[in-house]
Amino acid sequence: KILMINSENHITLKNINYSVNNKSFFKNLSTDISTNGITVILGPNGSGKTLLTKIIKGLIKPERGKLSIKLNGMTPNTGYLSQNIIFLRRNVFNNLAYPLEIKGFDKKMINKRVEFLLKYFGFSSKEKISARNLSEGNKQYLSFIRTLVSKPNLLILDEPSSNLDMQFTKKVENFLIKERNRIKIIMVTHDLFQAKRLADEILFINDGEIIEVSTKNKFLKSKNKLIQKFLKEGVIY
């Protein structure tokens, strides 16, 4: 089947099939995700949240099916934050500079961008420290900052604040709220309160199946039994 999409803006998954350990996990999974604001992916552990973000990012190719993403008629410039954080054997500053270096930007522009981000996120004091020697929370924070270096217009974030203290979580959330009209954000969280604070749209997944995609307010009033149970328990572990 050919996917016919004429819209300038769309994030569409059509009949996505993917197996995990030789067992079919996503079976003809189809959905449209809003191209505006913050879409939060919720669901119990092992429901397929991370896998879904990897497919949207293009890190994993589905066995069958089609993914199509256009923002303003173009393939988006995507920033991706994974739960597996890897840094170069360099200091904080140079880890942030590296994605721009490989794209061939000039040194002056790179320095300006990196210094701006370090200052904006209150991390300038760490710029000379080896990124691999940071605490887990600081590594995750730096990893989030790194996703922004090349000014993406699509951000895919897999639990961006799971190891962060309140101060850093607030900085990340404030940035996402401030930029939600300029950058399309898709994020996984296990924190229902965070979802309530940030989401414009919620995608709820359970056992490889998308149960509902709706606005936050509609989701919180959902009549679906699985969702009601999930909301009542309040914790998503």
Side-chain angles (χ1 to χ4, degrees), residues 181-216:
N181 296 324
R182 208 177 56 78
I183 302 173
K184 171 61 197 170
I185 298 152
I186 299 171
M187 66 179 278
V188 171
T189 182
H190 59 259
D191 179 344
L192 200 46
F193 297 106
Q194 185 174 57
K196 286 178 181 176
R197 285 194 298 273
L198 298 181
D200 296 298
E201 174 179 71
I202 291 178
L203 183 157
F204 184 78
I205 187 168
N206 185 62
D207 216 6
E209 199 181 325
I210 293 175
I211 307 296
E212 191 171 321
V213 182
S214 58
T215 62
K216 173 174 66 184

Side-chain angles (χ1 to χ4, degrees), residues 26-223:
F26 287 147
K27 302 172 194 136
N28 293 328
L29 181 135
S30 296
T31 192
D32 283 298
I33 295 172
S34 164
T35 53
N36 299 316
I38 300 175
T39 300
V40 171
I41 300 175
L42 289 177
N45 256 0
S47 56
K49 303 186 293 291
T50 292
L51 193 55
L52 186 60
T53 60
K54 285 182 174 172
I55 284 175
I56 295 170
K57 169 66 178 105
L59 292 175
I60 288 178
K61 294 272 176 279
E63 288 141 19
R64 282 207 317 280
K66 171 103 168 137
L67 166 75
S68 180
I69 303 179
K70 287 271 188 287
L71 296 177
N72 301 321
M74 290 160 78
T75 301
N77 171 18
T78 306
Y80 173 71
L81 176 67
S82 146
Q83 286 183 39
N84 304 325
I85 297 166
I86 297 163
F87 290 117
L88 303 167
R89 290 181 196 278
R90 299 182 182 187
N91 66 22
V92 164
F93 190 97
N94 290 326
N95 266 280
L96 291 177
Y98 183 70
L100 296 176
E101 282 168 11
I102 53 176
K103 287 184 175 170
F105 286 100
D106 71 79
K107 209 164 172 53
K108 204 170 149 197
M109 184 263 156
I110 294 173
N111 289 348
K112 199 174 153 194
R113 179 69 181 152
V114 172
E115 276 163 16
F116 167 77
L117 286 171
L118 285 169
K119 195 169 170 218
Y120 185 95
F121 287 101
F123 215 58
S124 299
S125 62
K126 304 266 196 295
E127 67 173 66
K128 298 277 186 281
I129 296 172
S130 163
R132 293 183 175 189
N133 292 341
L134 294 170
S135 69
E136 287 310 304
N138 280 343
K139 277 181 184 165
Q140 189 177 31
Y141 193 54
L142 177 62
S143 193
F144 173 74
I145 298 169
R146 185 173 59 180
T147 63
L148 307 174
V149 164
S150 58
K151 299 186 177 175
N153 61 341
L154 171 63
L155 270 184
I156 301 171
L157 309 170
D158 193 357
E159 300 203 9
S161 57
S162 53
N163 292 313
L164 300 188
D165 62 18
M166 259 334 282
Q167 179 203 353
F168 281 169
T169 297
K170 206 145 187 49
K171 277 197 153 57
V172 168
E173 288 188 3
N174 286 345
F175 175 84
L176 297 177
I177 288 164
K178 188 169 146 296
E179 297 296 327
R180 72 198 319 160
N181 296 324
R182 208 177 56 78
I183 302 173
K184 171 61 197 170
I185 298 152
I186 299 171
M187 66 179 278
V188 171
T189 182
H190 59 259
D191 179 344
L192 200 46
F193 297 106
Q194 185 174 57
K196 286 178 181 176
R197 285 194 298 273
L198 298 181
D200 296 298
E201 174 179 71
I202 291 178
L203 183 157
F204 184 78
I205 187 168
N206 185 62
D207 216 6
E209 199 181 325
I210 293 175
I211 307 296
E212 191 171 321
V213 182
S214 58
T215 62
K216 173 174 66 184
N217 294 342
K218 209 170 148 199
F219 176 82
L220 295 172
K221 296 189 186 95
S222 176
K223 298 273 183 282

